Amino acid sequence: MTEGYPTAAQLAEAVEGFLREEVMPALEGRLHFQALVAANVMAILGRELTAGPALAAAHAERLATVGYADDAALVTAIRNGDIDSRMGEVLATLRPSVEAAVAIANPKHLR
């Protein structure tokens, strides 16, 4: 993007701030809740735009470490019982991917 213009993540952060600081205090009830949901969505979007690509690459590397090309291949192996004997290894290897997904969706859940 051209220098001087905000990034998509910065725009998401600005909208989130506007919703939380300007809109939500002026609302009550259902509309307040909907503004809260919208602000939370913007926060998730900002985190995804900032960290998502690197987290996706790290997850792909972890999958390859345990021998799977993608999530679909892992799901198939789980359903077929192919990883039962090495479940501990697979869980330990992929746990950081799950933690990263939670960090994007709602980092409060990691505290």
Side-chain angles (χ1 to χ4, degrees):
M1 188 162 267
T2 305
E3 194 171 316
Y5 291 96
T7 65
Q10 290 169 329
L11 291 172
E13 182 180 350
V15 172
E16 177 197 0
F18 169 71
L19 289 168
R20 290 189 195 282
E21 296 165 20
E22 303 291 331
V23 175
M24 288 174 54
L27 299 174
E28 294 180 6
R30 181 175 166 268
L31 287 177
H32 182 273
F33 176 74
Q34 289 177 330
L36 173 63
V37 171
N40 289 340
V41 167
M42 296 310 294
I44 293 167
L45 178 61
R47 290 188 295 271
E48 180 69 36
L49 288 167
T50 301
L55 297 177
H59 178 64
E61 288 178 22
R62 289 183 196 104
L63 283 171
T65 298
V66 291
Y68 299 101
D70 55 28
D71 287 330
L74 174 64
V75 168
T76 299
I78 291 169
R79 286 184 179 149
N80 292 338
D82 297 340
I83 66 166
D84 290 352
S85 64
R86 47 190 288 246
M87 185 65 79
E89 170 201 357
V90 172
L91 290 175
T93 302
L94 297 180
R95 182 180 178 98
S97 293
V98 174
E99 291 172 347
V102 172
I104 286 178
N106 192 338
K108 292 177 186 176
H109 292 305
L110 294 176
R111 295 182 194 155

